[in-house]
Amino acid sequence: MTKDIVPQGFTLGLALVDFLPVLFFGAGDDSVNPVNSVRAVYDDIRTPKHLVMVDKCEHNMCYDRAPAAYERETRQFVEKCVVRLVSTGKM
């Protein structure tokens, strides 16, 4: 675990949702959640997940920087999750 990089409460919260799919958007120039922090959390969780990195982007600006990619990645992730739920009889 990368406790020195990632706030403890955040990773503990993610550990409690080990059954939920998680879509991460990381901003390439984020000073609040640097790329190594996002990657560390992504690598630590054991749930269906997908990571999208947006270059030349600051904190909370992924959609503003790349709206088409953001919408496409979100739609594809949700569709994939729905297919998984249907195929396992959970939906």
Side-chain angles (χ1 to χ4, degrees):
M1 178 65 78
T2 52
K3 292 182 179 81
D4 57 327
I5 299 174
V6 180
Q8 184 178 7
F10 185 73
T11 54
L12 289 176
L14 283 175
L16 297 174
V17 294
D18 62 351
F19 58 93
L20 295 174
V22 180
L23 175 59
F24 289 89
F25 282 92
D29 296 331
D30 194 334
S31 59
V32 176
N33 294 314
V35 173
N36 62 337
S37 294
V38 174
R39 175 55 78 175
V41 172
Y42 177 82
D43 289 342
D44 281 347
I45 65 169
R46 303 291 176 241
T47 186
K49 59 189 175 182
H50 183 62
L51 171 62
V52 179
M53 294 302 300
V54 180
D55 293 332
K56 300 177 184 172
C57 182
E58 296 178 12
H59 186 69
N60 282 345
M61 300 303 291
C62 291
Y63 184 83
D64 293 335
R65 175 79 174 135
Y70 193 101
E71 291 174 5
R72 181 187 66 246
E73 294 289 341
T74 301
R75 183 177 53 255
Q76 289 175 350
F77 186 75
V78 169
E79 288 171 355
K80 187 176 182 181
C81 292
V82 169
V83 167
R84 184 181 305 113
L85 289 171
V86 170
S87 68
T88 60
K90 295 179 182 176
M91 182 175 186

